[in-house]
Amino acid sequence: MIIILKPEASQQDANEIMSLIESKHLKPLYLPGVERVVLGAIGDERVLGSLHLENHPMVEEVKQILAPYKLVSREMHHADSIVHIGNVPFGGGKFTMIAGPCAVESFDQLKAAALAVKAAGARCLRGGAYKPRSSPYSFQGLEVEGLKILFQVSKETGLPTVTEVVEVADVDIVAQYADAFQVGARNMQNFRLLKALGQSQKPVILKRGMAAKVEDLLLAAEYIVAEGNSNVILCERGIRTFETCTRNTLDLNAVPYVKEKSHLPVIVDPSHGTGVRDYVTPMALAAAACGADGLIVEVHPNPKVALSDGQQSLFPHQFATLMEKLQAIVNVVGKEMA
Ligand code: PEP
Ligand code: MN
């Protein structure tokens, strides 16, 4: 439920109404806007009926939130949220690029990738230290050694980093070395992990599960925000469909839909979305055109020898060309390259 206060309502009025909400064992929220204050009540809203908040002289309107997700919905928070990874903004009219290899393989590999993507205009560096692979015989990641490499390369290049966390026990160590957590598609509904990340203040890139509906993605984000961490960036990375000519089907419909329903920034991963190097650039441009707030793209200094996802990783020169092409689309949609 949201309670819109009149412009002349004072802080005292807001406090009074929040105490009333608390007295019914619901969680009150204080959401100051430019013109007026909006209050929220999280929990079983039916118990609020008896308070007749609409009768309060400083209440303009009481509205039910119809979506099953509340905190991440635009009904609750009208303006776009801006989430920062390090000092790099996502959302609010910026278009922001994250790039780097699928996995951290060595210091030299990651440093070369970081320098190349930075020179082309990427603002954040990706690289998995823990790799949840479909096969147990595939490269599983360098784990803590990979995190240390990520940290060192970040220090030397100034690029903030994003890396996947696969279990609750690793949250602290990942937070120690990286600037943002990535929750992978396979873990989107690992609710224990989502809750643990909600207790951190580090930003979380939440990837859509490969068999998850958009509503499931928004509810997964709600788990993180409800624990107190509102720094969530949603990521469309393709879903499994009956179509097998590409690794996944990149559901770009999800982008305008999520932008309408939620205030959270939305980025697209055209690398996993297609699984094919030659399709990454066209789908990256399409993602920018349909309203994404940025991209996460796999780039490897030498994809031919990559230990994971080489077939979908761009060569550095292809990434530089992509960045040039993106500029035109970003201008057309009225955004600004971060
Ligand atoms: C990745 O980013 O390398 C990755 C494993 O992504 P996803 O979880 O989307 O498959
Ligand atoms: Mn990958």
Side-chain angles (χ1 to χ4, degrees), residues 102 126 131 164 182 184-186 207 237 272 298 309:
C102 178
R126 63 152 289 152
K131 296 305 303 175
E164 183 162 352
Q182 176 176 315
R186 291 156 191 80
K207 296 185 108 184
R237 50 76 74 201
H272 294 85
E298 288 184 342
D309 286 347

Side-chain angles (χ1 to χ4, degrees), residues 27-338:
K27 188 175 162 200
L29 297 166
Y30 181 76
L31 306 158
V34 182
E35 283 178 15
R36 59 192 73 213
V37 167
V38 172
L39 302 178
I42 299 296
D44 182 358
E45 297 172 0
R46 288 168 302 182
V47 302
L48 288 184
S50 62
L51 293 176
H52 296 290
L53 292 175
E54 64 282 0
N55 294 344
H56 191 288
M58 286 300 146
V59 169
E60 187 159 283
E61 201 185 343
V62 175
K63 283 205 317 200
Q64 302 283 346
I65 296 180
L66 299 174
Y69 40 86
K70 314 281 178 202
L71 300 170
V72 306
S73 80
R74 240 190 230 285
E75 295 173 87
M76 181 70 96
H77 186 277
H78 192 71
D80 278 3
S81 287
I82 301 175
V83 174
H84 287 85
I85 296 183
N87 59 356
V88 176
F90 288 78
K94 297 279 193 246
F95 191 85
T96 315
M97 295 294 287
I98 305 170
C102 178
V104 178
E105 298 169 9
S106 68
F107 178 82
D108 291 346
Q109 170 250 15
L110 191 69
K111 179 88 185 273
L115 290 175
V117 301
K118 184 179 179 184
R123 297 294 309 279
C124 296
L125 177 65
R126 63 152 289 152
Y130 298 89
K131 296 305 303 175
R133 305 300 299 281
S134 299
S135 163
Y137 307 119
S138 303
F139 175 60
Q140 303 285 310
L142 297 181
E143 305 191 342
V144 178
E145 189 198 335
L147 292 176
K148 289 182 178 167
I149 292 172
L150 200 62
F151 183 80
Q152 185 62 24
V153 170
S154 172
K155 212 163 88 178
E156 292 182 20
T157 60
L159 291 175
T161 56
V162 175
T163 199
E164 183 162 352
V165 57
V166 292
E167 59 172 299
V168 175
D170 297 335
V171 169
D172 287 345
I173 187 125
V174 172
Q176 199 182 317
Y177 289 109
D179 297 292
F181 300 107
Q182 176 176 315
V183 175
R186 291 156 191 80
N187 264 319
M188 189 205 81
Q189 287 187 312
N190 180 339
F191 300 118
R192 295 272 300 274
L193 181 61
L194 300 178
K195 284 185 176 183
L197 296 174
Q199 283 158 19
S200 166
Q201 281 308 308
K202 285 233 161 152
V204 180
I205 295 181
L206 178 63
K207 296 185 108 184
R208 179 178 177 183
M210 54 186 96
K213 296 193 295 179
V214 173
E215 188 174 294
D216 299 326
L217 173 66
L218 290 164
L219 283 167
E222 187 85 6
Y223 266 90
I224 302 171
V225 180
E227 289 293 321
N229 184 357
S230 53
N231 299 310
V232 178
I233 299 168
L234 302 170
C235 180
E236 168 57 48
R237 50 76 74 201
I239 49 173
R240 285 265 166 90
T241 66
F242 55 81
E243 184 52 76
T244 55
C245 65
T246 49
R247 180 175 177 181
N248 290 295
T249 298
L250 187 60
D251 178 17
L252 290 184
N253 291 352
V255 176
Y257 182 87
V258 174
K259 293 296 295 176
E260 182 190 337
K261 301 292 179 193
S262 174
H263 53 86
L264 296 176
V266 180
I267 63 171
V268 169
D269 175 348
S271 308
H272 294 85
T274 61
V276 182
R277 182 180 303 119
D278 286 348
Y279 307 157
V280 170
T281 294
M283 295 314 287
L285 298 174
C290 73
D293 297 303
L295 299 173
I296 180 163
V297 181
E298 288 184 342
V299 181
H300 193 288
N302 184 3
K304 286 177 281 186
V305 297
L307 296 182
S308 71
D309 286 347
Q311 79 293 343
Q312 68 193 31
S313 299
L314 295 184
F315 285 86
H317 73 274
Q318 293 177 310
F319 181 70
T321 306
L322 166 61
M323 288 299 295
E324 281 167 27
K325 291 183 176 172
L326 271 171
Q327 186 63 61
I329 310 267
V330 167
N331 290 345
V332 166
V333 296
K335 288 201 167 88
E336 197 187 348
M337 196 66 91

